[in-house]
Amino acid sequence: MNRSQRLPVGSGARQERAERILDTTAELLEQHGYRRVTIDDVASRAGIGKGTVYLHWKTREALFWAVLQREALRLFDHLVDELGKEPTLALPHRLMRVIFLDGVRRPLVRALLLADAAVLGNLAQDESVRAAQQDLAENPDYLQMLADEGILRPELSGATAQHILANVARGFSNADELGEDDGLSLEARADLLAYVLRRSLENDTPPDSATLAKLNARVTEMFQAMADGHREQLQRAY
């Protein structure tokens, strides 16, 4: 099953309209950021009345959060798909490489990862956005799974591992924002991120196939639960 098939389903025309509103809002957020986008802007570009937007989302903040939820949902579904193809993706250096590349290619995922106030505005401080950011970059449940399976370096506590993972991931994702041009290709930067995380977080002895399969199953279940939570909330607006 592909990602688009797993998106929330609603009644025909209503779902199509909701998707068009979300697509339009996402474009405007990427172009102008939270503070400069209004419901009037969304309605005008989508070719609908302002009241129609409110049939789906009662507030501007609820609409913008729905856009971010859909981005997170697509990423989590993608990760579940990829985990099903490649067990080693459950390891932090492989997992964060995929998330990094997705963030570079999809600006709203990157905005979530960095809690970018220029794009997200007041939503950057919202508890729901903060929770989604943690799911992407510093998930304590994921780190506990690594520790349980003996994959995390034994000298690292949960707090130190979380600090490393969050700050290394943000640092690589934020390099372009800081205007850094080191001449490395996107793939080379992704490989370098993977190298740093493997050396700093993972045990020197690679996990055996049974351990890796167990970790993969747990990580897949975690991301599936995250996806289902976002999908359920989006369903209500459809």
Side-chain angles (χ1 to χ4, degrees):
M1 184 179 294
N2 62 40
R3 282 171 283 164
S4 62
Q5 289 175 311
R6 282 198 299 243
L7 288 174
V9 291
S11 61
R14 180 179 173 88
Q15 179 186 348
E16 182 180 348
R17 185 176 64 200
E19 289 284 356
R20 186 165 78 252
I21 293 169
L22 291 178
D23 289 342
T24 300
T25 307
E27 292 172 4
L28 289 169
L29 279 175
E30 289 178 18
Q31 292 170 8
H32 305 298
Y34 173 93
R35 292 181 179 87
R36 294 178 58 193
V37 179
T38 68
I39 294 295
D40 285 326
D41 297 328
V42 173
S44 177
R45 181 173 291 194
I48 58 177
K50 181 177 177 179
T52 303
V53 178
Y54 288 119
L55 289 176
H56 296 271
W57 295 279
K58 301 303 181 185
T59 67
R60 175 174 173 265
E61 289 71 23
L63 170 59
F64 291 178
W65 170 230
V67 171
L68 298 177
Q69 280 190 299
R70 190 176 66 161
E71 289 298 302
L73 170 58
R74 287 171 169 171
L75 174 57
F76 294 145
D77 277 342
H78 174 60
L79 292 173
V80 169
D81 284 342
E82 294 303 306
L83 283 160
K85 300 172 187 175
E86 178 51 65
T88 62
L89 188 67
L91 295 171
H93 77 279
R94 293 289 314 280
L95 183 63
M96 294 309 300
R97 185 184 189 279
V98 172
I99 292 175
F100 168 77
L101 288 172
D102 212 73
V104 172
R105 292 164 179 159
R106 295 202 290 163
L108 292 180
V109 170
R110 176 175 172 168
L112 262 178
L113 183 65
L114 299 176
D116 186 347
V119 177
L120 305 184
N122 295 337
L123 282 176
Q125 304 303 319
D126 185 88
E127 289 184 8
S128 296
V129 172
R130 175 66 184 124
Q133 180 195 26
Q134 186 179 67
D135 289 343
L136 291 170
E138 53 187 280
N139 193 303
D141 292 335
Y142 172 61
L143 291 168
Q144 186 59 55
M145 292 176 196
L146 296 176
D148 291 345
E149 304 304 332
I151 293 169
L152 201 64
R153 285 187 174 276
E155 67 270 21
L156 295 178
S157 67
T160 55
Q162 186 172 4
H163 182 83
I164 291 169
L165 181 59
N167 285 284
V168 169
R170 287 193 194 118
F172 272 78
S173 296
N174 203 35
D176 290 337
E177 187 71 19
L178 295 174
E180 297 178 4
D181 183 7
D182 49 21
L184 294 175
S185 68
L186 177 58
E187 290 293 326
R189 283 187 285 152
D191 289 341
L192 186 58
L193 169 63
Y195 174 80
V196 171
L197 289 177
R198 181 172 58 82
R199 295 295 297 268
S200 59
L201 288 179
E202 297 176 29
N203 205 322
D204 290 331
T205 304
D208 58 33
S209 58
T211 299
L212 194 55
K214 184 178 178 182
L215 176 68
N216 181 281
R218 295 180 68 184
V219 175
T220 299
E221 183 179 5
M222 177 185 72
F223 282 127
Q224 187 64 66
M226 292 175 187
D228 290 344
H230 287 301
R231 186 176 292 108
E232 181 180 352
Q233 290 183 50
L234 281 168
Q235 177 73 58
R236 296 169 191 161
Y238 281 62

